[in-house]
Amino acid sequence: PVSVAAEARPAARHRTVAVDVGGIVVGGGAPIVVQSMTNTDTADVASTVKQVAALARTGSELVRITVDRDEAARAVPYIRDALMVKGIEVPLVGDFHYIGHKLLTDHPACAEALAKYRINPGNVGFKDKRDKQFSTIVEIAAKYGKPVRIGANWGSLDQELLTRLMDENSKSDAPLEARAVTREALVQSALISAARAEEIGLGRDRIILSAKVSAVQDLIAVYRDLARRSDYALHLGLTEAGMGSKGIVASSAALGILLQEGIGDTIRYSLTPEPGGDRSLEVRAAQELLQTMGFRTFVPLVAACPGCGRTTSTVFQELARDIQHWITSSMPEWKTRYPGVENLNVAVMGCIVNGPGESKHADIGISLPGTGETPSAPVFIDGEKAMTLKGAGIADEFKTLVNDYIER
Ligand code: SF4
């Protein structure tokens, strides 16, 4: 009998309206877009160009930059032009808070150079004086044909809205816990602002929503609700996810669950880098999440066992590491020379227990000898044992075989 394990795929994608962000389509069933953000001072054109270029080369399909003052707004068109000279056409997204309306009004070249504006409804609101600020940004977006992301964040949530919902909740017969009211305020902040943007004249195909939270369960609850209540394209991200493995694990848990449920059109990993550390990690983490879940392919995957007491030498770890590094560093060249190479699966295994089985599932795999095993390494190609490698040159010979496989 066929069991439920016959199904191994995510839920159908939640239907959203497609939004064109400088040529990259977000939503409407388009492939889930990877994006990231710089941490340079945007007014520093050289540093920002360098970091945007690095993020784009790693695979960031949209790059957001802070636009926080006149000097930053003035720099934006120069950044865009310098990137184009380098052949990098990644759409730039301007991150605006508090004075976005003023910066976009005073710097039309900036408004034109950006592919999307991020509005934080927590600090550019929709009531009274702040309605003018919000309207100004939306009107400029409509004038230049740019989309906006209405990005609510519980670190800068609209306090007026939150206070009103808290008051209503306290008078209710069955009051909710304060955290649930905060989640509702976050969702409402995004949805009310989006409705207002439409009223002002921006089409649904120019509006992306996000409602970011730093706690995994809250984030999942908020986005399930947003998806249930609207069809705007959704930008997913666990805000302030943190450093190192904590940030990656928390983001992957939250985003992975939502993506599995069909929710999310573009993702960003908000990772805190080590001082001076590599910003591109957030791009690689996002790509790896999408690839390991089967949504997209970016680079060949290397399956490797963790190793255990059956692996006595470091040959296995060294080969797994070398193959991984070699693939990552070769990708820029391989991508143009070998279209489709990103679909390759390679296995590097430590002993006979799972080695041959896992290697058969890969396109090409090797099972190195464990403790007490004959010092030989069977290689499997397309599920069949193709040869056995022996001696000190196993690693180099296997690399040659992988290279031959790719060329074929
Ligand atoms: Fe250990 Fe072999 Fe399993 Fe690798 S495949 S973890 S070496 S038993």
Side-chain angles (χ1 to χ4, degrees), residues 24-46:
I24 301 290
V25 179
V26 176
I32 298 160
V33 171
V34 170
Q35 63 172 288
S36 60
M37 183 173 181
T38 57
N39 62 355
T40 53
D41 176 359
T42 303
D44 178 346
V45 174

Side-chain angles (χ1 to χ4, degrees), residues 304-311 316 348-356 367-368 370 373:
C305 75
C308 66
R310 295 179 67 92
T311 47
F316 152 69
V348 179
M349 299 293 291
C351 85
I352 204 169
V353 175
N354 292 325
S367 176
L368 289 157
E373 293 175 22

Side-chain angles (χ1 to χ4, degrees), residues 127-146:
K127 284 190 78 180
D128 307 326
K129 185 183 95 191
R130 292 192 297 154
D131 182 51
K132 184 81 193 85
Q133 302 171 348
F134 181 84
S135 309
T136 301
I137 299 179
V138 172
E139 282 160 9
I140 292 172
K143 177 179 160 191
Y144 287 100
K146 310 285 182 179

Side-chain angles (χ1 to χ4, degrees), residues 65 89 105 114 120 144 156 170 197 247 261 263 311 333 386 394:
I65 57 178
E89 297 187 8
T105 304
L114 292 169
N120 183 340
Y144 287 100
S156 50
S170 65
E261 294 179 8
I263 298 169
T311 47
E333 185 201 333
I394 285 180

Side-chain angles (χ1 to χ4, degrees), residues 28 85-86 88 91 94 105-106 111 116 135 140 151 154 169 202 214 224 239 244 282 287 295 325 339 356 360 365 387:
V85 168
K86 287 173 176 282
I88 293 169
T105 304
D106 294 348
K116 183 176 73 171
S135 309
I140 292 172
W154 80 349
N169 184 57
L202 211 58
S214 62
R224 279 177 178 160
T239 193
E282 61 178 57
Q287 289 180 328
F295 288 106
H325 285 186
K360 282 182 195 168
M387 66 203 66

Side-chain angles (χ1 to χ4, degrees), residues 77-399:
Y78 293 100
I79 292 167
R80 194 264 324 263
D81 292 350
L83 287 165
M84 287 184 89
V85 168
K86 287 173 176 282
I88 293 169
E89 297 187 8
V90 66
L92 297 175
V93 179
D95 198 56
F96 294 99
H97 300 272
Y98 309 108
I99 56 166
H101 55 289
K102 193 173 173 307
L103 294 173
L104 286 167
T105 304
D106 294 348
H107 301 278
C110 167
E112 194 276 323
L114 292 169
K116 183 176 73 171
Y117 314 146
R118 183 271 172 106
I119 310 176
N120 183 340
N123 55 44
V124 180
F126 52 90
K127 284 190 78 180
D128 307 326
K129 185 183 95 191
R130 292 192 297 154
D131 182 51
K132 184 81 193 85
Q133 302 171 348
F134 181 84
S135 309
T136 301
I137 299 179
V138 172
E139 282 160 9
I140 292 172
K143 177 179 160 191
Y144 287 100
K146 310 285 182 179
V148 300
R149 169 165 65 97
I150 295 172
N153 188 305
W154 80 349
S156 50
L157 184 53
D158 182 333
Q159 290 304 304
E160 209 174 297
L161 175 64
L162 180 62
T163 306
R164 180 167 61 75
L165 291 182
M166 286 288 186
D167 281 351
E168 285 172 14
N169 184 57
S170 65
K171 291 174 194 150
S172 147
D173 293 338
L176 300 169
E177 56 163 341
R179 214 171 166 100
V181 180
T182 307
R183 290 195 295 268
E184 174 62 20
L186 202 64
V187 171
Q188 282 200 21
S189 176
L191 291 177
I192 293 170
S193 301
R196 178 73 184 121
E198 283 197 65
E199 208 175 277
I200 296 165
L202 211 58
R204 292 174 93 74
D205 61 346
R206 293 262 161 78
I207 300 172
I208 297 173
L209 296 189
S210 68
K212 296 190 184 179
V213 176
S214 62
V216 171
Q217 296 297 346
D218 289 297
L219 191 90
I220 294 167
V222 161
Y223 273 91
R224 279 177 178 160
D225 214 35
L226 264 182
R228 191 173 54 77
R229 291 160 70 171
S230 80
D231 63 357
Y232 294 109
L234 294 178
H235 162 128
L236 298 189
L238 186 78
T239 193
E240 287 97 46
M243 295 190 81
S245 59
K246 187 266 169 184
I248 294 174
V249 169
S251 294
S252 303
L255 271 50
I257 287 169
L258 289 165
L259 292 171
Q260 186 69 9
E261 294 179 8
I263 298 169
D265 300 298
T266 175
I267 63 171
R268 188 216 165 180
Y269 270 62
S270 301
L271 303 177
T272 311
E274 295 287 341
D278 181 8
R279 191 70 168 174
S280 303
L281 178 61
E282 61 178 57
V283 179
R284 291 200 303 278
Q287 289 180 328
E288 283 167 10
L289 177 72
L290 293 178
Q291 184 154 352
T292 53
M293 291 190 73
F295 288 106
R296 294 186 63 183
T297 50
F298 298 95
V299 292
L301 283 183
V302 179
C305 75
C308 66
R310 295 179 67 92
T311 47
T312 47
S313 78
T314 56
V315 173
F316 152 69
Q317 288 104 309
E318 283 164 8
L319 181 59
R321 180 201 59 197
D322 287 356
I323 293 282
Q324 184 73 65
H325 285 186
W326 173 56
I327 285 175
T328 307
S329 60
S330 304
M331 269 314 278
E333 185 201 333
W334 286 357
K335 253 185 184 167
T336 41
R337 275 181 70 188
Y338 311 116
V341 68
E342 61 274 15
N343 297 307
L344 181 75
N345 286 300
V346 181
V348 179
M349 299 293 291
C351 85
I352 204 169
V353 175
N354 292 325
E358 188 65 43
S359 298
K360 282 182 195 168
H361 288 301
D363 295 310
I364 178 163
I366 187 167
S367 176
L368 289 157
T371 326
E373 293 175 22
T374 314
S376 60
V379 172
F380 296 82
I381 297 178
D382 294 331
E384 301 288 337
K385 185 174 168 187
M387 66 203 66
T388 300
L389 303 180
K390 289 182 184 152
I394 285 180
D396 285 339
E397 285 176 48
F398 183 63
K399 268 167 110 177

